[in-house]
Each structure stands twice: as structure tokens, then as C-alpha cells.
Amino acid sequence: MESREKPPVCLTIAGLDPSGGAGIVADVKAFTAFGCFAAAAVSSVTFQNTQGVFGAVHQSAASVRKQVEPVFADYEVAAVKTGMLPTRSIIEMVAKVLNEHKPANIVVDPVVRSTSGFDLIDDKALLALMEQLFPLATVVTPNIPEAERITHLNIRGEDDIKLAARRLHSLGPKFVLIKGGHLAGKKAVDHLFDGDSFETFEAEHIETTSTHGTGCILAASITANLAQGKTLRDSVRIAKAFVHEAIRTSPGLGKGNSPINI
Ligand code: PXL
């Protein structure tokens, strides 16, 4: 058998969106696009398409543990991304597993609500996410509505984003990336905070109905680039350019909020 160079393994622990635009299917595509080997564990089976989320059946914490333990036992996992983690018991289990295996890169995408307004996590779970997963994270990647729900701030502009970033950073992650795409304006500006200073990442705002899964794909692309040995700053820059291009070239599938081109 020919021996090849081993790709870095990225593991996503997130929800299944059977329509393929968000969740673990999107994550697997993003990992693959950046030359990583994709592994995936399901936290919840959601029922959805581009027009909405119609429900979900969550996994038990034991199921999540039984999915990820054999993966950690067998592979060297270079990076882990977490997405939709709907219950406190799942979050506690994921924190325990990550504390045991200590992967070098952990990207926590604090998914709280779908674009269509479906709650993907309850309040107790949100608290566990903040207390138990944020301290383990290389980076947390909330959008504005997520940052608002976590910090209880009303985010209207850059000053509010900075205040929110400071509060989120005090929960323990190395970096906080607040995605500004939900604010009106010509540019989609993301703010990265390392506890000391801020850096901004800009892209032209695209007026579009194709944004399904952008959050998942940005976080997964950051994860894959970290796994490939890039710095966090380079990973964010590369991931943002990738998502921008994928929005711009969306094939417009579905009747609602279309997936992007990945
Ligand atoms: O983009 C948020 C998100 C993440 N993960 C899953 C989802 C959604 C939004 O619908 O379904 C599984």
C-alpha cells in the first residue's frame, strides 16, 4: 500500500442539518476544502430546509460521548469545532471529553438560534456553554444576536461590540471573534479580541438571501486552518475570504435562505 502524508484530522460536534447548508454537513465540506480529514459527531438531528427549522431530536450526552471517544482513541485530532450543543448535559459531557483529550485547537461556535428564529439551545445550556466550554476555547465565534443573548447587551455599533468582546473574553477563551455581518452597513466587519487589542477583518457586504450556514462554515474554516498550522489571525482572514467568495457564488438552491457555494 502506498503511504501518503497524513492530513490533519478535524472533528466537529454539532447538529445535523439534512438539507446540507449548515451543521455537520457544512463543517465536513469546509474541513475537506482546506485539506483536512473530516470527522463528525451529531449532537442533534434537526428537521429543516432553506425555508425554516421545523424541529429537532437531541442526542443524549451518552450518545455524544460514545460517538467521540472512539475517534479520540484512534486518531490524533488536530482541532475540534463545536456548533449546536442543545442541552446542558451534552455541553458538560463535551467539556469533560475536551478536558481529557486536550486537542490543541478548539473552536466554539456558540449557536443559539437559527436564522429563521428557531431556538437551538435552552438557557441552562447557554450558561453551561459560557462556564464550561468558553474557558477551553482557542476562539469563540458569536454573531451579533448570539453575543447579545450571552452578554445581555444591546449591540448597535463598534463600541458595543468591543464591550461585548471584553465580557466574552473574561469568560476564558484565548480569542473572541464577533462577526458584524448583522449590522447594517457597506462592510461586514468582524472584530477579533485577544484580551489586549482589537483587530478588524472586513469584507464588502453582499445583499443576498444566501446566508444559510455561513456561521458554521466560517468557524469550520477557521478550525481547518488552525489544524493546518496557521495562526489564529491568518485562519480568520482566510476563512472570511472563503465565506465571502462562497456567498458571492451561491448557486441559489432552495426556496428560502439558500446555502452558500461549498
Ligand atoms: O447556523 C446555525 C445552525 C447551526 N447548526 C445547525 C443548525 C443551524 C441553523 O439552522 O441547524 C444544525
Side-chain angles (χ1 to χ4, degrees), residues 140-155:
V140 296
T141 61
N143 59 26
I144 301 268
E146 288 160 352
E148 287 186 323
R149 175 136 177 235
I150 297 165
T151 63
H152 300 292
L153 289 167
N154 210 334
I155 300 177

Side-chain angles (χ1 to χ4, degrees), residues 156-163 183 191 200:
R156 298 231 172 76
E158 194 175 315
D159 288 349
D160 303 326
I161 289 182
K162 287 188 167 173
L163 184 58
L183 288 182
H191 292 257
T200 54

Side-chain angles (χ1 to χ4, degrees), residues 10 27 30-31 79-83 106-111 139-142 177 179 213-226 232 235 239-240 243:
C10 290
D27 292 345
F31 293 164
V80 172
K81 183 220 147 183
T82 68
I106 300 175
V107 176
V108 174
D109 188 22
V111 171
V139 60
V140 296
T141 61
L177 179 71
K179 299 169 289 184
T214 46
C216 300
I217 293 161
L218 185 87
S221 301
I222 293 171
T223 309
N225 279 281
L226 289 172
L232 191 272
S235 299
K240 187 159 171 81
V243 169

Side-chain angles (χ1 to χ4, degrees), residues 14-17 22-23 46 48 53 84 111 113-115 120 212-213 215-216:
L16 171 69
D17 163 6
T46 74
Q48 63 176 301
V53 180
M84 175 187 178
V111 171
R113 194 171 294 152
S114 75
T115 313
L120 298 168
H212 189 101
C216 300

